[in-house]
């Protein structure tokens, strides 16, 4: 201090400058607003304007979320009933809708027709032999009463009639069998449905039992949903189901039955859901779909969608506390209906931040204007 005084005495101008700086500092202190003079930490806690909302209790369907594949209810394999013949015509393609009894393919039938003609001739011959044996037997029966024939002659005539009758029956059976083979030269649809696969080609020599087509019976599809074993008792026949296809369309269904056993590897149960839509233009066998099973009705707490904040992959809400201080609270989300979301993890009387929630942090102080309705 003594050194500073000595310098000021040696340099009078320095004294004037020091006095001016002191005066300027006093003026700045007097004229500066108190809000600017507040500490920076207090300025950072300035209130943000928000609105409030309250959880609403609503009666919503109780649902189970599930995943699974869409499959054909039943897929019939249409094969050849005769073998060793070539296909002359193939009249159905993949995707065709067919009716029961409709011809799908035709075998070359000339050989079969010739064999039928042979059996028909053999049948006529057997009928003629039977007529002759029958007439002889009738005459023997008439003469038997007069004692004109020996017992051996009578027995022989009756045996010949019986043998002729047996040969006639065998000829009729062979003829009917050949007629059936003619009928089987046409491959027909066993039921109404849609052709899902075709391996038949014109000119191919087909063996008996060989697969030619696959048919989705009655164009009927089902969703094989997988649910956890813990939810088995909640599944009942007739419950409604909704599933979302990969293209975003929604298809309705009804629970037909649940599998009697749980898969020991996945611990999941298969639930078979009949789809109401019979159009394979929407759902197709082999598709993977997500959906829900409606198991009843129940009360849930719901919030507007804009009051939910996602942080670090979890859903949160901001609850208003004492002194307008907010607390970030993790919640579990349920189903969504319109612009409201079912929420677990909050109480009915909670005061939830709605507008402005996305800009808050845990512990912020807010200014509430009006409650959202």
């Amino acid at each position: 201090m003594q050194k500073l005084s000595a310098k000021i005495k040696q340099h009078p101008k320095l004294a004037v400058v020091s006095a001016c700086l002191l005066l300027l500092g006093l003026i700045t202190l007097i004229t500066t607003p108190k809000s600017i003079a507040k500490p920076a930490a207090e300025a950072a806690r300035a209130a943000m304007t928000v609105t409030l909302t309250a959880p609403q209790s609503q009666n919503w369907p109780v649902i189970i979320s599930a995943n699974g594949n869409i499959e054909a209810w039943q897929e019939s394999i249409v094969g050849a009933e005769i073998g060793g013949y070539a296909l002359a015509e193939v009249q159905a393609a993949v995707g065709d809708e067919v009716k029961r009894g409709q011809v799908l393919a035709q075998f070359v039938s000339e050989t079969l027709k010739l064999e039928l003609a042979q059996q028909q001739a053999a049948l006529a011959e057997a009928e003629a032999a039977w007529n002759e044996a029958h007439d002889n037997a009738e005459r023997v029966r008439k003469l038997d009463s007069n004692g004109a024939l020996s017992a051996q002659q009578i027995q022989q005539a009756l045996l010949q009639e019986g043998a002729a009758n047996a040969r006639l029956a065998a000829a009729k059976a062979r003829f009917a069998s050949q007629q059936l083979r003619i009928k089987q030269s046409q491959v027909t649809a066993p039921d109404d449905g849609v052709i899902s696969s075709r391996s038949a080609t014109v000119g191919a020599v087909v063996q008996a039992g060989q697969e030619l087509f696959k048919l989705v019976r009655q164009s009927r599809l089902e969703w094989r949903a997988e649910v956890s074993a813990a939810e088995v008792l909640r599944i009942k026949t007739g419950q409604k189901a909704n599933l979302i296809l990969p293209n975003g369309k929604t298809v309705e269904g009804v629970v037909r039955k649940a599998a009697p056993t749980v898969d020991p590897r996945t611990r999941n149960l298969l639930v078979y859901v009949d789809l109401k839509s019979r159009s394979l233009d929407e759902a197709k066998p082999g598709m993977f779909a997500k959906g829900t099973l409606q198991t009843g009705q129940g009360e849930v707490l719901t919030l507007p969608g804009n009051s939910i904040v996602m942080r670090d992959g979890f859903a949160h809400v901001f609850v208003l506390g004492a002194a307008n201080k907010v607390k970030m609270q993790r919640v579990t989300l349920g189903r969504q209906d319109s612009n409201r979301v079912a929420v677990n993890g909050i109480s009915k009387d909670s005061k939830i931040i709605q507008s402005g929630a996305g800009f808050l942090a845990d512990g912020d102080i807010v200014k509430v204007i009006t409650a959202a309705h």
Side-chain angles (χ1 to χ4, degrees):
M1 195 67 175
Q2 292 177 355
K3 291 181 180 180
L4 180 61
S5 300
K7 289 183 179 181
I8 291 174
K9 289 179 180 180
Q10 293 176 1
H11 303 280
K13 291 183 178 181
L14 184 59
V16 175
V17 172
S18 300
C20 290
L21 290 174
L22 181 61
L23 181 60
L24 181 61
L26 291 173
I27 294 173
T28 302
L29 183 62
I30 295 172
T31 58
T32 299
K34 292 182 180 180
S35 59
I36 296 177
K38 286 183 179 181
E42 186 176 352
R45 294 172 63 85
M48 177 180 178
T49 302
V50 297
T51 60
L52 295 181
T53 187
Q56 292 184 8
S57 179
Q58 294 182 308
N59 191 26
W60 277 13
V62 179
I63 61 173
I64 297 174
S65 297
N67 301 323
N69 294 324
I70 297 173
E71 301 290 349
W73 166 63
Q74 287 184 5
E75 192 170 38
S76 295
I77 296 177
V78 183
E81 295 184 79
I82 58 175
Y85 299 94
L87 285 171
E89 296 179 48
V90 177
Q91 301 175 12
V94 174
D96 288 354
E97 293 188 5
V98 297
K99 299 293 184 181
R100 180 192 293 270
Q102 180 176 330
V103 177
L104 307 180
Q106 172 71 55
F107 285 99
V108 175
S109 59
E110 282 74 8
T111 303
L112 293 171
K113 290 178 180 178
L114 289 174
E115 292 174 353
L116 179 64
Q118 290 177 349
Q119 296 300 331
Q120 188 172 13
L123 175 60
E125 183 179 357
E127 286 179 343
W130 181 83
N131 288 331
E132 181 181 359
H134 178 68
D135 291 343
N136 291 336
E138 286 296 319
R139 285 193 295 270
V140 166
R141 291 186 184 95
K142 291 178 180 178
L143 294 174
D144 182 31
S145 58
N146 299 329
L149 297 175
S150 66
Q152 184 178 1
Q153 290 176 318
I154 296 172
Q155 184 180 10
Q156 184 177 4
L158 295 178
L159 288 174
Q160 288 176 350
E161 181 189 28
N165 189 43
R167 287 192 291 270
L168 176 60
K172 287 181 178 179
R174 287 192 295 270
F175 180 72
S177 176
Q178 194 61 34
Q179 284 182 315
L180 181 60
R181 288 171 63 81
I182 291 288
K183 183 179 179 181
Q184 290 172 342
S185 67
Q186 291 184 328
V187 180
T188 59
D191 199 355
D192 297 350
V194 176
I195 300 296
S196 59
S197 174
R198 185 190 78 175
S199 57
T201 55
V202 174
V205 177
V206 178
Q207 301 303 316
Q210 182 176 331
E211 178 185 315
L212 299 177
F213 301 91
K214 283 185 178 179
L215 174 73
V216 178
R217 290 190 60 199
Q218 301 175 17
S219 303
R220 182 175 165 184
L221 301 178
E222 65 183 15
W223 180 43
R224 298 175 185 176
E226 292 189 19
V227 301
S228 65
E231 296 169 328
V232 170
L233 297 179
R234 297 170 57 188
I235 305 299
K236 305 293 182 185
T237 299
Q239 291 173 340
K240 294 182 180 180
N242 287 283
L243 50 98
I244 302 174
L245 302 180
N247 59 9
K249 290 187 177 181
T250 301
V251 177
E252 295 182 350
V254 177
V255 174
R256 185 174 80 251
K257 64 178 179 179
T261 58
V262 174
D263 190 327
R265 294 172 298 174
T266 63
R267 303 301 178 187
N268 289 336
L269 179 83
L270 277 182
V271 178
Y272 298 91
V273 177
D274 285 331
L275 302 187
K276 291 185 177 180
S277 174
R278 295 296 176 90
S279 174
L280 269 70
D281 293 334
E282 298 178 354
K284 297 183 183 295
M287 275 186 174
F288 178 82
K290 297 181 178 180
T292 57
L293 304 173
Q294 183 176 330
T295 60
Q297 296 284 125
E299 288 192 2
V300 294
L301 292 178
T302 67
L303 288 173
N306 60 353
S307 65
I308 310 297
V309 179
M310 301 301 296
R311 299 278 171 87
D312 299 325
F314 296 97
H316 299 82
V317 295
F318 285 93
V319 182
L320 184 67
N324 282 3
K325 190 174 183 180
V326 299
K327 178 183 179 182
M328 187 170 68
Q329 183 172 330
R330 185 187 293 186
V331 294
T332 303
L333 303 182
R335 63 170 297 197
Q336 183 174 353
D337 187 8
S338 185
N339 62 342
R340 298 191 70 83
V341 183
V343 179
N344 294 320
I346 57 174
S347 60
K348 190 175 182 179
D349 56 354
S350 299
K351 297 178 180 179
I352 308 298
I353 306 299
Q354 183 173 354
S355 65
F359 302 98
L360 295 176
D362 191 25
D364 283 351
I365 294 177
V366 297
K367 179 181 178 182
V368 180
I369 46 174
T370 56
H373 297 287

